[in-house]
Amino acid sequence: MTQSKLSVELFEIHGFESPGEYERFNSWLDAVIANGGCIEKSQGLTVDQLKFGCREVQFQNGETWRLDPPDFPFRGSWQPMPFEV
């Protein structure tokens, strides 16, 4: 767990329980970006990752986190960068 300057606690997610849970999380992330809590960074992603819907965001504390959407049988993830692949 880490904490950004906006007091947002960040926990790793290794598999969303449902497509709805992923969509709610993605909507939450959109709201955090819109409120200035982090910025979206796409320069580290490949074209295929962008098409797949992967997102990288950098929080005010300098940490970069990555959201990978579910694609059966992979259930998606949310984790800090860099991470072991």
Side-chain angles (χ1 to χ4, degrees):
M1 171 191 71
T2 57
Q3 196 166 358
S4 75
K5 291 181 182 179
L6 290 179
S7 298
V8 175
E9 291 186 25
L10 303 173
F11 297 91
E12 292 185 29
I13 298 172
H14 298 283
F16 293 95
E17 294 298 319
S18 68
E21 181 185 31
Y22 167 76
E23 290 301 326
R24 285 188 300 277
F25 185 85
N26 205 26
S27 294
W28 170 83
L29 187 57
D30 287 338
V32 172
I33 293 168
N35 289 323
C38 61
I39 56 171
E40 192 151 12
K41 302 177 71 164
S42 60
Q43 57 269 49
L45 299 172
T46 66
V47 172
D48 287 339
Q49 289 170 324
L50 290 170
K51 287 180 184 176
F52 181 59
C54 297
R55 300 174 77 178
E56 285 186 4
V57 295
Q58 185 175 23
F59 287 86
Q60 294 173 347
N61 64 4
E63 288 187 351
T64 299
W65 284 64
R66 179 169 166 171
L67 176 63
D68 291 309
D71 184 27
F72 186 79
F74 177 64
R75 296 185 334 180
S77 67
W78 167 249
Q79 53 192 336
M81 296 293 293
F83 58 86
E84 297 292 325
V85 178

